[in-house]
């Protein structure tokens, strides 16, 4: 099974009945997401099938708007700027959009991001999820959430969770074609829940998540413990969300992120995204929550920046410690 087989399986029937409309293709939106229980490791690198399930919270108004129009040849425009066709980003997006060439392509793609610039947030998740939504809007495929998630996953694993708002579980699935590996939204909301972006560095990553995951799975002796850890953390985080209990959620999410980073540190050669400034910020968070302090925990992805997990009432005091904190309210429209 390759990615093209999956696209064909989902679209073959539909494409016959629809045509992509060049003129009035709407611009559509997908939110970025931050995992509270991480996805780290693939069981199939072509289809981006994960070893474990994972769980994220969508970033509300922070994400990507995308619009596609059928064109004579492929092009990418990001935030109004045409991207060089041989750049990494255009090459990756071009290869992805090529999967859809028999269903109305080639396409000209235009995206704009509402993710705070340089906040250390990966934008690939919202980018791929918004591109699928834009294709669907232009071509009238009428994808359901499962299909949207599966197609977005072929672009980047975490994009499978960027297809909806709120808390989202990406169920790992068992099938070799991955048709059971997709997002499932949780019904629970948490209006006071906040994410805080602490940027310590915004330069290029020493190693991308694709290569880092592969290296971890293949060489880290610590990876063997990861699937069982994730299974327990998923149960705890879901229970904490149901109870809106930050004191239960924070420690599990933080320990999950730290464990993910330690599996990477055990790879050969080690994958180490932590900078001295990352460790400094982690220690400040740990100090802040000493008895009588602020209930705040952190999570981290494939990079050196921190994302704080807290509730609305702690925002003012956190801003004193982290003056440049970007605060995201995942359950408000703002
Ligand atoms: O979707 P990718 O290949 O960029 O991987 C993302 C992996 C993490 O962000 C580190 C964890 C996650 O679950 O989002």
């Amino acid at each position: 099974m390759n990615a093209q087989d999956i696209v064909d399986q989902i679209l073959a029937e539909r494409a016959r009945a629809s045509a992509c409309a060049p003129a009035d293709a709407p611009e559509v939106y997908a939110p970025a997401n931050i995992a509270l229980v991480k996805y780290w490791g693939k069981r199939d690198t072509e289809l981006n099938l994960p070893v474990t399930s994972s769980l994220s919270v969508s970033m509300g108004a922070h994400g990507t708007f995308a619009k596609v129009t059928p064109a004579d040849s492929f092009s990418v425009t990001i935030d109004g700027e045409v991207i060089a066709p041989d750049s990494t980003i255009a090459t990756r997006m071009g290869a992805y959009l090529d999967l859809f060439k028999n269903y109305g392509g080639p396409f000209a793609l235009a995206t704009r991001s509402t993710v705070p610039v340089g906040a250390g947030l990966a934008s690939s998740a919202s980018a791929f999820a918004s591109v699928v939504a834009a294709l669907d809007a232009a071509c009238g495929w009428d994808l359901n959430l499962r299909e949207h998630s599966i197609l977005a996953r072929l672009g980047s694993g975490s994009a499978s969770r960027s297809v909806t708002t709120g808390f989202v579980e990406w169920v790992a699935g068992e099938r070799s074609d991955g048709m059971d590996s997709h997002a499932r939204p949780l019904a629970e909301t948490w209006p006071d829940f906040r994410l805080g972006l602490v940027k310590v560095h915004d330069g290029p990553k020493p190693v991308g998540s694709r290569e880092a995951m592969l290296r971890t799975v293949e060489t880290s002796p610590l990876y063997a413990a990861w699937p069982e850890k994730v299974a327990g953390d998923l149960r705890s985080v879901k229970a904490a969300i149901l109870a809106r209990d930050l004191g239960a959620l924070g420690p599990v999410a933080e320990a999950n992120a730290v464990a993910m980073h330690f599996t990477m540190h055990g790879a050969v050669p080690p994958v180490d995204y932590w900078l001295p400034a990352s460790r400094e910020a982690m220690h400040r968070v740990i100090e802040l929550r000493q008895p009588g302090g602020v209930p705040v925990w952190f999570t981290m992805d494939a990079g050196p920046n921190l994302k704080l997990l807290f509730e609305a009432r702690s925002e003012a005091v956190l801003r004193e410690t982290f003056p440049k904190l970007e605060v995201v309210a995942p359950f408000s429209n703002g």
Side-chain angles (χ1 to χ4, degrees):
M1 266 301 158
N2 63 27
Q4 189 66 63
D5 297 329
I6 303 302
V7 172
D8 292 345
Q9 196 168 324
I10 292 176
L11 294 182
E13 286 302 311
R14 285 182 168 93
R16 258 176 250 147
S18 67
C20 303
D24 50 8
E27 187 182 53
V28 294
Y29 175 76
N33 75 79
I34 298 294
L36 301 172
V37 180
K38 306 293 184 189
Y39 146 58
W40 196 253
K42 304 179 201 221
R43 64 186 161 88
D44 182 318
T45 50
E46 156 91 17
L47 301 181
N48 289 336
L49 295 177
V51 173
T52 71
S53 297
S54 56
L55 193 150
S56 62
V57 61
S58 292
M59 299 270 293
H62 296 300
T64 307
F65 286 91
K67 179 180 160 90
V68 295
T69 28
D72 292 337
S73 62
F74 163 72
S75 65
V76 194
T77 306
I78 298 178
D79 295 328
E81 215 176 285
V82 180
I83 303 300
D86 56 352
S87 65
T88 313
I89 198 158
T91 310
R92 186 168 173 201
M93 209 30 109
Y96 181 69
L97 277 175
D98 235 27
L99 294 170
F100 302 91
K101 65 176 179 300
N102 294 333
Y103 304 96
F107 298 99
L109 167 68
T111 68
R112 64 189 174 91
S113 168
T114 55
V115 172
V117 178
L121 283 176
S123 52
S124 71
S126 57
F128 284 107
S130 68
V131 166
V132 176
L135 288 165
D136 191 16
C139 304
W141 297 331
D142 203 14
L143 299 171
N144 60 35
L145 188 88
R146 176 177 146 272
E147 294 165 328
H148 183 181
S149 177
I150 289 170
L151 292 177
R153 163 167 54 72
L154 300 176
S156 134
S158 53
S160 70
R161 298 183 309 238
S162 270
V163 296
T164 185
T165 55
F167 294 113
V168 180
E169 180 173 13
W170 171 13
V171 182
E174 289 172 354
R175 292 172 56 133
S176 60
D177 65 1
M179 294 308 276
D180 56 353
S181 182
H182 55 83
R184 200 174 61 185
L186 272 62
E188 289 78 25
T189 61
W190 190 339
D192 286 344
F193 188 79
R194 296 290 181 272
L195 285 162
L197 313 175
V198 176
K199 187 186 82 173
V200 303
H201 183 72
D202 64 4
K205 292 179 193 186
V207 43
S209 60
R210 177 171 283 269
E211 155 68 17
M213 265 187 218
L214 197 64
R215 198 190 297 170
T216 307
V217 173
E218 286 181 350
T219 67
S220 175
L222 305 178
Y223 192 74
W226 176 247
E228 200 181 320
K229 160 120 191 94
V230 168
D233 289 352
L234 279 169
R235 279 192 295 275
S236 306
V237 164
K238 282 190 214 170
I241 289 171
L242 192 63
R244 291 188 183 170
D245 183 350
L246 186 71
L249 182 140
V252 177
E254 185 178 285
N256 181 272
V258 171
M260 175 182 76
H261 282 270
F262 274 95
T263 65
M264 299 183 211
H265 294 176
V268 185
V271 178
D272 186 358
Y273 289 113
W274 290 359
L275 297 175
S278 317
R279 285 178 179 272
E280 223 171 87
M282 288 180 218
H283 286 292
R284 261 187 286 159
V285 172
I286 293 165
E287 271 161 32
L288 275 168
R289 64 170 187 253
Q290 290 315 301
V294 189
V296 56
W297 286 265
F298 64 83
T299 185
M300 291 177 75
D301 294 295
N305 301 306
L306 275 66
K307 289 99 187 188
L308 307 188
L309 312 172
F310 58 99
E311 287 188 302
R313 63 196 154 89
S314 306
E315 181 172 333
V317 55
L318 286 171
R319 282 190 187 284
E320 285 169 23
T321 306
F322 300 100
K324 291 186 186 148
L325 193 70
E326 288 268 3
V327 177
V328 179
F331 296 92
S332 97
N333 294 324

